[in-house]
Amino acid sequence: MKYKAPRGTRDILPEDSWKWRRVETAFRETADGFGYREIRVPIFEETDLFARGIGDSTDIVRKEMYTFEDRKGRSLTLRPEGTAGVVRSFIEHSMGRGGRLTKVHYFGPMFRYERPQAGRYRQFWQWGLEAIGSTNPAVDAEIIHFSISLHDRLGLTGAEARINSAGCPTCTPAYNELLRKELAPKLDGFCSDCRVRYERNPRRMFDCKNETCLAILASAPSILSSLCEECASHFEQVKALLGGAKLKFTIDESMARGLDYYTKTIFEVHHPGLGAQSALCGGGRYDELVEELGGDATPACGVSGGVDRLIIVLEEQGLFDEEEPGPDVYVATVGDEAEALGAALVARLRGDRSVETDYRGRSLKAQMKEAGKLRARVCVIVGEDELARGVAVVRDMETRGQDDVPLDDVPAAVGRLLERAEG
């Protein structure tokens, strides 16, 4: 075959896309319940937006962005994450005017040039929430609560948060110097990437996946011991709020999110039944980002999660054991006259119901086999005999019970069967 999907991308085929729709529906319903409204931002932005927003010391900016020039020589980048674009939109459209809290959610594709592997693609899907305009620790707790609630809704009950603090510009410079001092004698034991991070932003060293580096970092000082009074107080309030809401959490002093814009609270939500790869989503507070990108000083907090990996987890946990949902109704016809009447029935039945029919002139036996294969809940059958009597056969595909129903009464009879099946 001449053309194939580019490396690191894939087609989500109809036999799997319903799973994605189920996750997206659960996400939107949960976000609506927490008072977040949808925002849709462009798939590409000016490159500098991500370089300034994410941080030029991050692996994302240094190694993973899809960057290109347009026909006028402007540098553009396919979005590698969602927050920077949302903040740009927040500033551009003055969404925070009047001092109101802006709460938005998004769901869509992101792009990073990295080595493809199970659950990790160069075009990947991500859901996210952003709350912009409040320093209140209750916002942090709400977003963590949302993250646990979403996975509960999807059947991954028992998820818990791991929390830490990233500090703020007041306390992190001293912590960075402390890290450099403590790690300098051990620097030769780190990988080349970590030695670069040591110079640019030593906290990024905690993002390393190299086991040797992580073993050395296990004895590194915790940022919690270097927090300023404001950051320490904020962290204590977040813990108290989570405890008051009876949300499970642990403190993870080694956690460092892979983006430079985080301040104060950072967190990940994990599921204890998933082994080493237990992270489901992550986020935190980014009180400096709006100002960094040209807006007024505005505090904010957010979270995002990868949909590709979530789908794999749900499959592995048996939460997609049921089959793909089929149509509500299948209309089977035999003969030209019945086919014309069947087309009219299909048009009448469609609306709130999903309806399938045959367009290939197959036998009744073949059509009934197709209705079963599609897992239709009700089958309406019209042949020459039914036409002569002015009726259609309405069959419950689960019980196999069926009745002759006057043609004008078919929609009502189908509706009653479907209501009984749903009840």
Side-chain angles (χ1 to χ4, degrees):
M1 180 178 175
K2 185 175 180 181
Y3 300 111
K4 292 184 178 181
R7 176 171 164 78
T9 69
R10 59 175 173 156
D11 302 308
I12 301 169
L13 302 177
E15 53 263 34
D16 289 317
S17 62
W18 65 275
K19 302 174 185 178
W20 290 71
R21 189 165 61 250
R22 178 167 298 175
V23 169
E24 183 170 1
T25 298
F27 168 70
R28 291 181 184 279
E29 289 176 349
T30 309
D32 287 346
F34 277 72
Y36 289 75
R37 299 182 300 160
E38 184 180 20
I39 187 169
R40 302 190 183 195
V41 296
I43 285 180
F44 59 87
E45 302 266 7
E46 294 180 40
T47 300
D48 188 56
L49 174 71
F50 298 118
R52 289 185 63 185
I54 298 172
D56 58 11
S57 69
T58 62
D59 285 352
I60 295 173
V61 172
R62 292 176 54 232
K63 302 178 180 180
E64 298 173 0
M65 295 204 309
Y66 277 93
T67 298
F68 60 95
E69 287 190 355
D70 69 7
R71 294 186 178 184
K72 291 191 175 180
R74 292 170 293 208
S75 181
L76 302 172
T77 295
L78 297 179
R79 62 186 186 193
E81 58 92 50
T83 300
V86 171
V87 170
R88 188 268 311 148
S89 181
F90 172 85
I91 298 168
E92 182 176 345
H93 300 288
S94 302
M95 295 169 69
R97 58 185 174 274
R100 67 180 183 222
L101 178 63
T102 300
K103 296 169 62 173
V104 295
H105 69 79
Y106 57 86
F107 189 105
M110 310 291 165
F111 306 84
R112 295 183 192 176
Y113 189 88
E114 53 186 343
R115 185 171 65 87
Q117 52 189 292
R120 189 182 294 273
Y121 299 89
R122 290 175 177 175
Q123 176 179 312
F124 60 97
W125 290 72
Q126 191 177 82
W127 60 260
L129 287 186
E130 314 292 349
I132 307 175
S134 174
T135 60
N136 196 324
V139 173
D140 311 32
E142 176 182 271
I143 288 178
I144 294 171
H145 186 190
F146 166 87
S147 305
I148 293 174
S149 297
L150 170 61
H151 296 99
D152 283 347
R153 185 185 288 258
L154 288 166
L156 285 167
T157 55
E160 59 186 33
R162 297 181 186 176
I163 65 173
N164 196 14
S165 178
C168 73
T170 299
C171 49
T172 52
Y175 177 64
N176 285 340
E177 288 309 308
L178 176 62
L179 266 184
R180 288 191 179 100
K181 180 180 178 181
E182 292 291 326
L183 297 177
K186 309 170 186 177
L187 197 56
D188 289 344
F190 284 97
C191 68
S192 57
D193 282 342
C194 276
R195 289 196 291 271
V196 172
R197 294 173 185 134
Y198 175 88
E199 297 296 336
R200 295 188 176 200
N201 184 345
R203 286 178 296 152
R204 291 275 68 79
M205 298 170 78
F206 288 101
D207 291 330
C208 188
K209 302 301 185 288
N210 184 302
E211 291 186 5
T212 301
C213 297
L214 293 176
I216 300 172
L217 288 167
S219 59
S222 166
I223 192 172
L224 297 181
S225 60
S226 297
L227 295 181
C228 64
E229 183 177 346
E230 180 183 340
C231 287
S233 173
H234 190 98
F235 191 59
E236 290 301 316
Q237 291 178 72
V238 170
K239 291 192 295 180
L241 288 162
L242 294 176
K246 304 267 191 281
L247 298 172
K248 292 183 180 179
F249 73 93
T250 58
I251 298 171
D252 184 351
E253 297 182 6
S254 66
M255 183 194 305
R257 302 288 298 155
L259 306 166
D260 278 354
Y261 53 60
Y262 285 117
T263 57
K264 296 181 180 170
T265 307
I266 53 175
F267 71 91
E268 293 176 350
V269 171
H270 289 249
H271 193 283
L274 300 180
Q277 300 298 318
S278 62
L280 296 169
C281 64
R285 180 163 284 279
Y286 51 95
D287 290 344
E288 312 296 322
L289 182 58
V290 177
E291 187 174 14
E292 174 65 26
L293 295 182
D296 296 331
T298 309
C301 189
V303 62
S304 65
V307 181
D308 305 79
R309 170 162 157 68
L310 179 55
I311 296 286
I312 292 174
V313 168
L314 293 171
E315 289 173 336
E316 290 175 344
Q317 296 296 304
L319 296 171
F320 286 133
D321 275 355
E322 75 278 23
E323 295 180 286
E324 176 185 2
D328 294 321
V329 186
Y330 188 96
V331 176
T333 63
V334 181
D336 292 343
E337 190 176 351
E339 184 177 337
L341 179 62
L345 268 176
V346 167
R348 289 176 63 194
L349 289 167
R350 280 184 173 143
D352 293 336
R353 307 180 184 97
S354 58
V355 183
E356 264 290 5
T357 191
D358 178 65
Y359 293 108
R360 291 181 284 173
R362 293 177 296 176
S363 68
L364 179 59
K365 181 179 179 180
Q367 291 182 64
M368 295 302 294
K369 185 176 180 180
E370 178 75 1
K373 183 178 180 181
L374 291 173
R375 295 179 300 285
R377 298 160 71 187
V378 176
C379 190
V380 176
I381 306 166
V382 183
E384 293 179 356
D385 178 62
E386 287 77 22
L387 275 177
R389 294 185 289 123
V391 301
V393 175
V394 178
R395 174 181 291 188
D396 185 321
M397 294 295 284
E398 183 176 350
T399 67
R400 299 299 179 185
Q402 63 183 46
D403 293 296
D404 290 347
V405 177
L407 290 170
D408 287 342
D409 296 340
V410 167
V414 167
R416 287 192 295 272
L417 272 181
L418 293 173
E419 285 176 9
R420 195 152 58 235
E422 291 170 354

